[in-house]
Every structure is written in structure tokens, then in C-alpha cells.
Amino acid sequence: MTVSAAGATPLAVPVLTWPGVYAPQDDTRLLAAALDREHIPRGAAALDLCTGSGSLALVAARHATTVTAVDISRRAVWNARLNALLARRRIQVRRGDLTGALPPGGRFDLVVSNPPYVPAPPGPAAHGRARAWDAGAGGRDVLDRICDDVPRVLSPGGLLLLVHSALSGVDQTLHRLATAGLSAEVGERARVPFGPVLRQRRDWLCSRGLVAPWDESEELVIVRAQRS
């Protein structure tokens, strides 16, 4: 299904976003809307990887009985904990590197993630807010790890919902998830205007053939992958 940015469902979970933490944007809203359309079984356990402000964890908490949220940023972890407290939701927020932050043997019926996925020119490692979007030259530094790691924490029949830009390679995501044993497809697509980061990188993106000089928007995709 293809939708426009204007057609995306507004994020119905108000959150506070601290300086240095990724604020909910078009990709967050698109993923939240896709999650709300899923039939999540009663008693489900959900995991939000790269939680940022915790907005998607709060959406997951409307459907799942238990929710765990993970982020590598200390500031994001405290921000997500505050938003869970304000929303009166019991969400366990853990600081760490993707599934490495989880106790051994943990399994989830639902995993959602809005990870860093923006292609970035060579240079110093991202810091501050840039860690929420910079993902190496191909935009896949975190995506590939999610594709490899998440199948190991999904319960039988478990579902992964993952959002990223088409600039980062949709076919690569689908192939990697299929190799890991999941049935994967693109559930939704949406075109959104370039934000400040892509506008600043337009010349570099053009030099790599990722965008055309006249492009003013990028395509976001929701990848839906399920374990049999």
C-alpha cells in the first residue's frame, strides 16, 4: 500500500522529547499507524528497538501486555522512562546495543523499530542526535544487525515491523530477513519531503546515485516480517 505523508495517521501518543533525542517524525507516525492496524494477540510481549523518546513503545503498549524498549543513548533511555511514567504505562526501558541489552532467552511476539538508516558521508562517528539517523555510507550499519539479530528473539509466529528509507536498500532488507528465516514483504510505502539532513547531503547523495538533483522527497517503507 502506498500513502502520502499527508495521509499518515497522526501520532496519538503525546510525548516530551528532550534535546539530543530523536523527535517523532513521519517515519514514526507511519510505523505507529501500521502497528495500530495489526492484530496483536492477547498477552503479547513487545520490543521496541532504538526507542528514542519511547513513542512507539507507548503505541505498542496499547496492544501488548508487556513492553520492553531499548536504546543505546542514556539520554533517550531516561526520556523514554519519563514518557512512560507520564502516560502511566509499565514499560521496561533498557540501555544497551539492540538485542544485546536483553536478558538471555527473552522472546517477543512483536518487535518494532525505527532505527538509524540515513546514508552518511565518511567522517567521525556520529554523536548526539546524529546517532539517531546516521548509519554509514549505505545506511545499513544498524539495519543489517537488526535483520540478523531480531529473528533470534521472535517467538514462533512473531512479527517484526521495521521502517526505513528506500535509499538504504529495500531489497537488501527483504533478502537478509528471508535468509534469517522470516517471511518478509513491504507492507506500506510513503513519500515524504526531504528533511534538513537529506537536504544538506543532497550533493553527496547525488554523487552516489542515490537521488537525482531534482528530487525533493524520499520513499519510506514499512517492512513486515514474520517468523513461521
Side-chain angles (χ1 to χ4, degrees):
M1 181 169 76
T2 302
V3 298
S4 67
T9 302
L11 190 64
V13 180
V15 295
L16 298 176
T17 306
W18 292 353
V21 177
Y22 185 73
Q25 298 182 37
D26 289 322
D27 47 9
T28 318
R29 289 185 282 271
L30 188 68
L31 184 52
L35 172 55
D36 276 339
R37 285 191 285 271
E38 292 288 341
H39 176 70
I40 308 301
R42 182 173 298 181
L47 172 65
D48 177 18
L49 292 175
C50 308
T51 193
S53 66
S55 56
L56 287 168
L58 291 173
V59 175
R62 297 200 293 238
H63 305 276
T65 300
T66 63
V67 179
T68 301
V70 172
D71 204 288
I72 199 169
S73 162
R74 192 183 306 275
R75 184 182 293 261
V77 166
W78 284 108
N79 194 168
R81 286 174 178 167
L82 173 62
N83 282 319
L85 181 66
L86 293 174
R88 299 182 179 180
R89 293 287 191 177
R90 289 190 175 183
I91 296 173
Q92 184 181 52
V93 186
R94 305 177 69 95
R95 180 172 180 259
D97 190 9
L98 300 179
T99 59
L102 303 173
R107 292 291 182 271
F108 298 90
D109 306 291
L110 169 70
V111 178
V112 296
S113 186
N114 181 8
Y117 56 72
V118 177
H127 64 278
R129 280 200 310 158
R131 285 202 300 179
W133 55 74
D134 280 358
R140 299 201 58 87
D141 283 2
V142 181
L143 283 170
D144 284 343
R145 294 180 56 214
I146 288 175
C147 292
D148 295 344
D149 292 352
V150 164
R152 293 196 286 267
V153 301
L154 272 180
S155 300
L159 175 67
L160 167 67
L161 294 175
L162 173 68
V163 63
H164 69 80
S165 172
L167 299 179
S168 309
V170 180
D171 288 343
Q172 291 161 267
T173 297
L174 297 178
H175 175 75
R176 202 155 188 130
L177 288 169
T179 300
L182 302 187
S183 175
E185 63 181 356
V186 174
E188 297 180 23
R189 300 177 184 267
R191 295 215 63 92
V192 300
F194 283 166
V197 175
L198 290 188
R199 288 198 297 270
Q200 291 170 4
R201 294 179 185 172
R202 182 192 300 273
D203 289 346
W204 179 78
L205 292 168
C206 286
S207 72
R208 299 194 68 236
L210 293 174
V211 303
W214 53 84
D215 283 343
E216 296 290 342
S217 64
E218 64 175 322
E219 183 180 60
L220 299 178
V221 298
I222 300 291
V223 173
R224 187 183 188 278
Q226 197 153 20
R227 182 177 175 184
S228 58

